[in-house]
Amino acid sequence: MSFLRVDGLEKKYDDSFVFSHIHFSLEKGEFVTLLGPSGCGKSTLLRCIAGLTQVDDGQLFIDGVNVTDTPARQRGIAMVFQSYALFPNMTVRENIAFGLKMQKVPPSEQSKRVNEAVELVELGGKEQRYPSELSGGQCQRVALARSLVVRPRILLLDEPLSALDARIRKNLREQLRSIQKELGLTTLFVTHDQEEALTLSDRILLMNNGKIIQNGTAEEIYTEPADAFVVRFIGNYNLLSAEQAHQVLGIQSQKQVAIRPESIYVREEGRQYPEHVRHPVRGEVVDYLLLGNVIRYRIKVSNVELLVDLLNRSSERLFPAGANLELLFNTHEIREVDEENSAIG
Amino acid sequence: MVSRQAGKKALFLLMPFILVFFLFQVLPLIWVFVDSFKSNLGEEWGIGNYEYIFESRYFRQALFNSLKISLYSSIVGMLLALPCAWSLHRLSGRLKELTLTFANMIANFSGVPLAFAFVILLGANGCLIVLLDQLGIQLGFNLYSALGLILIYSYFQIPLAILLMLPAMEGLRDEWQEAACLLGAGKIRYWISIGLPVLMPGILGTFIILFANAMGTMATAFALTGGNYNLLTIRISNLISGDIFLDPWLASALSMVLVFILMLVTLANEWLIKPGRLRAKAK
Amino acid sequence: MQRPNSLGHLSVIIIFMMVMILPLLGTLLYSISTSWSSGLLPDGITLKWYTSLFADHRFLQAMMNSVLVCLGALLLTLVLVVPTAFIVFYYFPFLKPFMNFIILLPFAVPPVVSSVGLLQIYSNDVVTLTGTPWILLGAYFTVALPFSYRAIANNMANLNLQDMLDAAHLLGASTFRAFFTIVLPNLKTGLMVSLFLSFSLLIGEFVFANILVGTRFETVQVYLFNMKTRSGHFSSAVVVSYFLIIVLMTILAGQWGKKQ
């Protein structure tokens, strides 16, 4: 049985829906990311699960128990905020101990658990500092420790890394994931950063306009996008209209067509291609971008610009702008996708 | 987010504040407003009090004196405070801190003690007057006149104006002048096109606060002249707690005249500082 | 940016200080002089005015009264304004502009006007507050309100109230508990600064004290006014003593302000 079950949650402000018909569940120990553009309702959904915002309809079960009307502080849910929400009048230690104090945990037990938490997030020696004396990354660690120390049943993370700079973010998210695995914490992580979602999660819930558009692993989301919105949001994709698809590939389609840049090949003389690599077409290089081990070409094929990723084998030559190439397409990777559903309600 | 029930409880907790504010701020004003329409020593309803005030040379003079002293002292205060505030803005370190602390103290040094301090300095036998007298300089200065009042009022207006102007001046950033200079504007051009327009809401707002402050104050003049100088606030006070003639209804009507002027001025101030506030937020 | 202080600006400030300090300096010298009939300096130095002042029972009583009524009024202001500001910021943020408006009312209604109404309302057979210090608590609340509300509101605006309260709730604290353990401690510095500044403001208040209460509960301002017929040296000693309180309060406020 699933550990957290969300059943038809619905929330509106002044007659317009923030989200509706939200159904999903989390298994125990699972790390699930709620991914979507800003304003899609994901943060409000998270707050509803935490019990900080009341829902208008639907139910919420934790471990089989209906907690829809349970106050936030009795749900056993911890949350890390984007703003950290550390208490500025308290030291690191006092911040972390706050939840234990509220639960009236005996002082000796308190200090033992706080020490463990401090160690876990690698903040040893900083216990007596105040939040104003810490860096952003350190603040976020304190916020995480404060949430973990109460041994929550579910951990919610609301864009916890978005206020940090890129290097610290990468570092911290790996640490976050390893702590989560170590403790076997059921975690729901909210972000608008698709790269973060794809690299961290067991499973991703992709949300748009107050609806969950797709629910699947990173692999599934990446290779089997549910609709044009997912294609655009994940990025990197070539998204062709039905007309353009006909022009380039010569195929008849009623829908838009999505092609990943790495599933387009440049024909090499004397090489044999499998049966499903077809649709030869000529194009002209517009320019290219070196992305480390990948070179991303922009190639113009009869007025349609395609992104084509080739492995950067440095021994070989680069195709300069203006070069005329013949392209081939991996037909297994050509997806027809529906236009995104913008209606809400 | 807050549940509806918690909201109701919170609303209930606002009651003590609302009650005290009503009893000591709103109710007295309403009372004064209503009373101002009881003329003829409270005997009959109507605008008789107001007619009386505007027909009486004595009360018209009180209003005129109040306006005159407030206006002059605000102008003098402002003119002297501006260069001081600018210099203070340009200074840094301990001296600036010290001056600010000093200005804060002086701003609170008003009313009765200030009147006494001025009597000792510039009264008929004041030490400065006597000193100048011995040097053979006769100022012919009368502290108990309009000029004296303007001088004292200016004294407490200056630190207030400095404290109010300083934040506006700190809002003027050096980069603006540097940018203007690189774009070919001279110092004067910079002040006309950028400096003054940016400072203007602050200057006007400060001026209005000074004016309202002077209009509403009473203690200094009261202590200095024992209630003899003819000012609006002193007339009101004498009509409710004087020794000779009590008419709280007439005092109410005078009060409403004063409140009307102050409301006008306060609202104008709110309106004037709004753009400044927005600018501060945009930073 | 640290600039060297320019001579021009320096001299403007020094002239400003010297002129503004004249009345204070004159009063100080006068309060320690035996007499000062002529000349640049007093005839002799003495502390007799201070000794007679501090031996005056009425003066000590007036000081005591002033301190009591100011502390009482500040306590009342604190108890009323802090929860109100919190409730407005946390529960009803849409009321903020309304609050900003009503705290302007004390500026538009000077004490002498409020006194006209207060005298009528609170001196009858049903409620007789005039002549007692109690009415000053309410009146001084209105004097201190704009300054203390602004100070508290500015501090609240700097706290991330919503997230902090949410975090506290999730960690098991009630709103009531969170107010005392988190909100209040974070306001402490701002509150202390505004308390000291409001104290110097209130202890200088004369109009309410004179009209509403008078000699029946004499504050230091009313005492000074009533002493106007005594010797100037004596009054000077009162003024200097009073100003020392302001100096102390301003310095204390500055010290607390630095902690921020």
Side-chain angles (χ1 to χ4, degrees):
Chain A
M1 198 180 61
S2 52
F3 191 65
L4 170 76
R5 189 153 65 84
V6 173
D7 201 358
L9 280 197
E10 196 172 291
K11 175 75 190 170
K12 42 186 166 180
Y13 281 129
D14 311 325
D15 289 343
S16 74
F17 282 98
V18 179
F19 54 76
S20 63
H21 305 299
I22 301 289
H23 296 267
F24 67 86
S25 54
L26 265 64
E27 299 304 319
K28 198 160 184 146
E30 211 181 1
F31 190 108
V32 175
T33 298
L34 197 54
L35 173 68
S38 53
C40 73
K42 57 190 191 307
S43 281
T44 312
L45 177 57
L46 200 71
R47 295 176 57 84
C48 287
I49 293 169
L52 297 169
T53 302
Q54 286 179 319
V55 291
D56 294 321
D57 201 8
Q59 286 172 323
L60 194 73
F61 299 87
I62 298 178
D63 211 3
V65 180
N66 187 337
V67 295
T68 318
D69 296 317
T70 308
R73 55 197 161 106
Q74 286 158 23
R75 289 190 185 189
I77 290 181
M79 182 159 162
V80 175
F81 295 79
Q82 183 177 0
S83 68
Y84 322 133
L86 295 182
F87 308 135
N89 57 312
M90 298 182 191
T91 60
V92 167
R93 191 172 189 86
E94 287 165 337
N95 262 289
I96 297 174
F98 185 83
L100 298 174
K101 226 169 167 178
M102 292 299 125
Q103 290 177 358
K104 303 208 165 57
V105 173
S108 58
E109 169 84 5
Q110 265 186 40
S111 72
K112 196 177 128 246
R113 278 166 69 177
V114 171
N115 288 340
E116 284 168 11
V118 166
E119 199 145 313
L120 192 65
V121 298
E122 297 171 10
L123 275 174
K126 304 260 190 306
E127 292 97 325
Q128 297 311 319
R129 300 271 184 92
Y130 283 92
S132 56
E133 301 165 328
L134 301 178
S135 70
Q138 288 169 334
C139 282
Q140 199 50 281
R141 284 161 203 265
V142 178
L144 185 62
R146 187 175 71 177
S147 300
L148 295 176
V149 78
V150 294
R151 297 186 183 149
R153 298 196 286 174
I154 296 169
L155 178 65
L156 305 180
L157 303 157
D158 186 7
E159 308 234 6
L161 308 173
S162 63
L164 303 171
D165 69 56
R167 269 175 61 194
I168 294 170
R169 193 157 65 209
K170 220 164 178 179
N171 198 328
L172 203 53
R173 81 180 177 209
E174 277 154 23
Q175 206 178 355
L176 180 70
R177 180 63 161 143
S178 80
I179 290 172
Q180 182 269 337
K181 275 188 177 148
E182 191 182 326
L183 302 178
L185 258 176
T186 313
T187 304
L188 186 57
F189 178 87
V190 161
T191 184
H192 62 263
D193 181 337
Q194 75 278 12
E195 191 207 331
E196 212 163 84
L198 292 171
T199 50
L200 274 177
S201 334
D202 291 326
R203 199 147 52 81
I204 295 171
L205 302 168
L206 225 155
M207 208 170 159
N208 187 31
N209 279 334
K211 288 228 168 63
I212 291 179
I213 306 293
Q214 195 168 4
N215 176 349
T217 62
E219 172 90 0
E220 283 164 359
I221 300 257
Y222 191 60
T223 55
E224 306 279 343
D227 69 6
F229 162 74
V230 181
V231 169
R232 285 196 200 99
F233 192 70
I234 296 299
N236 286 357
Y237 263 93
N238 293 299
L239 187 64
L240 308 183
S241 66
E243 198 188 326
Q244 289 172 328
H246 180 71
Q247 264 180 10
V248 174
L249 299 165
I251 56 171
Q252 296 293 338
S253 169
Q254 301 303 313
K255 298 176 178 176
Q256 297 176 82
V257 170
I259 310 164
R260 296 212 314 272
E262 64 267 31
S263 60
I264 306 176
Y265 309 124
V266 173
R267 182 195 281 279
E268 296 165 38
E269 287 304 324
R271 183 168 164 189
Q272 287 296 311
Y273 288 91
E275 183 62 16
H276 62 267
V277 177
R278 281 188 278 129
H279 303 307
V281 66
R282 293 205 80 83
E284 193 185 299
V285 175
V286 179
D287 61 11
Y288 58 84
L289 206 62
L290 286 164
L291 302 171
N293 56 342
V294 168
I295 308 165
R296 171 160 299 172
Y297 287 95
R298 276 203 298 148
I299 296 175
K300 201 167 181 176
V301 179
S302 53
N303 290 327
V304 181
E305 267 186 19
L306 293 174
L307 295 178
V308 177
D309 284 358
L310 296 183
L311 270 183
N312 183 3
R313 286 170 289 190
S314 55
S315 56
E316 287 172 28
R317 66 200 162 92
L318 286 167
F319 300 114
N324 196 289
L325 304 170
E326 186 172 14
L327 303 178
L328 290 170
F329 295 85
N330 181 344
T331 51
H332 287 176
E333 301 284 344
I334 295 176
R335 306 266 169 249
E336 290 188 358
V337 290
D338 289 311
E339 187 39 58
E340 66 182 271
N341 188 356
S342 58
I344 182 167
Chain B
M1 232 45 62
V2 177
S3 75
R4 206 156 288 161
Q5 206 156 23
K8 264 187 198 149
K9 228 191 306 175
L11 205 58
F12 181 74
L13 285 171
L14 283 181
M15 290 317 289
F17 173 84
I18 295 171
L19 188 73
V20 175
F21 187 74
F22 179 79
L23 284 179
F24 288 93
Q25 184 70 65
V26 181
L27 192 60
L29 184 61
I30 295 174
W31 211 278
V32 167
F33 179 73
V34 173
D35 266 5
S36 72
F37 294 104
K38 289 184 194 165
S39 55
N40 214 348
L41 288 175
E43 293 293 314
E44 60 185 72
W45 289 94
I47 55 164
N49 287 332
Y50 291 98
E51 283 172 353
Y52 181 70
I53 290 168
F54 287 105
E55 274 162 21
S56 150
R57 275 191 60 184
Y58 188 52
F59 287 124
R60 281 212 313 266
Q61 187 201 32
L63 178 61
F64 176 76
N65 281 347
S66 277
L67 287 171
K68 180 178 75 181
I69 287 173
S70 303
L71 190 68
Y72 285 159
S73 70
S74 306
I75 292 172
V76 172
M78 200 71 209
L79 286 179
L80 292 178
L82 274 176
C84 291
W86 182 248
S87 292
L88 193 54
H89 162 61
R90 283 287 160 187
L91 292 182
S92 54
R94 282 189 62 85
L95 185 69
K96 181 171 182 177
E97 218 173 280
L98 185 77
T99 314
L100 266 175
T101 310
F102 179 69
N104 252 312
M105 290 172 190
I106 299 285
N108 271 320
F109 185 56
S110 63
V112 187
L114 182 66
F116 271 87
F118 264 86
V119 170
I120 284 155
L121 197 67
L122 292 167
N125 292 309
C127 29
L128 205 60
I129 296 291
V130 172
L131 182 70
L132 290 175
D133 201 35
Q134 284 178 338
L135 295 173
I137 306 168
Q138 300 245 310
L139 282 180
F141 175 78
N142 180 7
L143 185 62
Y144 309 94
S145 66
L147 194 64
L149 279 177
I150 291 169
L151 183 74
I152 300 190
Y153 275 41
S154 302
Y155 179 85
F156 64 69
Q157 302 275 43
I158 291 171
L160 187 62
I162 290 178
L163 293 174
L164 289 170
M165 277 312 298
L166 203 58
M169 290 188 169
E170 311 268 290
L172 273 186
R173 284 185 286 162
D174 290 345
E175 301 97 271
W176 293 346
Q177 186 160 5
E178 286 157 8
C181 178
L182 289 175
L183 293 168
K187 218 169 181 161
I188 293 169
R189 186 77 229 168
Y190 161 77
W191 276 107
I192 292 171
S193 315
I194 299 147
L196 274 179
V198 171
L199 282 184
M200 218 47 204
I203 293 177
L204 286 176
T206 303
F207 182 79
I208 279 174
I209 290 176
L210 297 188
F211 181 79
N213 182 39
M215 278 301 285
T217 189
M218 170 186 135
T220 314
F222 190 73
L224 193 67
T225 67
N228 287 326
Y229 193 79
N230 198 8
L231 286 178
L232 210 47
T233 45
I234 287 178
R235 288 282 73 76
I236 296 170
S237 164
N238 283 357
L239 280 172
I240 53 169
S241 68
D243 310 323
I244 311 146
F245 175 69
L246 294 185
D247 184 347
W249 304 278
L250 190 59
S252 297
L254 276 175
S255 295
M256 288 317 295
V257 173
L258 179 58
V259 167
F260 177 75
I261 296 170
L262 291 179
M263 288 241 177
L264 215 65
V265 150
T266 312
L267 289 178
N269 175 40
E270 275 303 284
W271 177 74
L272 277 172
I273 62 175
K274 274 271 156 60
R277 265 195 209 149
L278 286 178
R279 204 166 19 237
K281 259 184 204 162
K283 266 199 287 189
Chain C
M1 194 180 65
Q2 198 80 17
R3 270 184 297 262
N5 292 331
S6 94
L7 209 61
H9 295 307
L10 212 62
S11 41
V12 170
I13 289 303
I14 286 169
I15 291 170
F16 159 75
M17 296 261 246
M18 270 166 41
V19 170
M20 296 305 275
I21 212 161
L22 269 182
L24 283 167
L25 211 59
T27 311
L28 179 67
L29 281 179
Y30 214 73
S31 74
I32 54 170
S33 59
T34 47
S35 65
W36 193 355
S37 46
S38 60
L40 183 58
L41 288 171
D43 304 340
I45 298 294
T46 176
L47 281 177
K48 72 174 176 184
W49 308 112
Y50 286 95
T51 49
S52 73
L53 176 63
F54 283 92
D56 182 3
H57 183 71
R58 196 172 155 190
F59 169 71
L60 295 175
Q61 187 65 50
M63 256 319 178
M64 183 87 94
N65 288 347
S66 272
V67 171
L68 272 181
V69 82
C70 289
L71 286 182
L74 288 176
L75 194 68
L76 179 72
T77 309
L78 219 58
V79 168
L80 292 176
V81 176
V82 177
T84 301
F86 172 68
I87 289 167
V88 167
F89 271 71
Y90 183 57
Y91 291 96
F92 313 111
F94 59 91
L95 283 180
K96 276 189 238 172
F98 176 70
M99 283 303 288
N100 287 339
F101 175 75
I102 69 163
I103 59 155
L104 287 178
L105 212 52
F107 288 127
V109 185
V112 69
V113 173
S114 275
S115 298
V116 177
L118 289 169
L119 266 187
Q120 301 293 304
I121 302 167
Y122 300 112
S123 61
N124 49 50
D125 298 336
V126 193
V127 246
T128 315
L129 286 180
T130 52
T132 73
W134 300 109
I135 196 161
L136 284 186
L137 294 188
Y140 282 8
F141 159 74
T142 65
V143 174
L145 173 67
F147 303 99
S148 44
Y149 179 82
R150 283 247 160 109
I152 293 165
N154 287 344
N155 274 278
M156 285 243 190
N158 287 335
L159 294 178
N160 192 341
L161 215 52
Q162 188 75 51
D163 278 2
M164 284 206 323
L165 266 276
D166 283 345
H169 286 155
L170 283 173
L171 292 167
S174 63
T175 308
F176 186 75
R177 184 100 192 246
F179 174 76
F180 281 101
T181 52
I182 296 159
V183 180
L184 217 47
N186 280 310
L187 292 179
K188 197 168 86 186
T189 306
L191 279 180
M192 292 309 282
V193 173
S194 98
L195 273 184
F196 288 124
L197 293 180
S198 302
F199 191 90
S200 355
L201 184 75
L202 290 184
I203 206 162
E205 208 287 329
F206 169 73
V207 177
F208 275 135
N210 191 47
I211 296 179
L212 298 177
V213 185
T215 49
R216 275 162 291 182
F217 186 85
E218 210 172 42
T219 64
V220 74
Q221 296 286 323
V222 178
Y223 170 82
L224 177 60
F225 182 74
N226 290 335
M227 287 298 115
K228 62 188 168 205
T229 47
R230 298 259 316 242
S231 115
H233 299 285
F234 186 78
S235 315
S236 299
V238 182
V239 172
V240 171
S241 310
Y242 156 79
F243 192 73
L244 282 179
I245 296 177
I246 294 188
V247 171
L248 184 69
M249 289 298 141
T250 314
I251 290 172
L252 282 174
Q255 292 300 319
W256 273 92
K258 271 188 205 150
K259 290 190 183 179
Q260 227 157 12

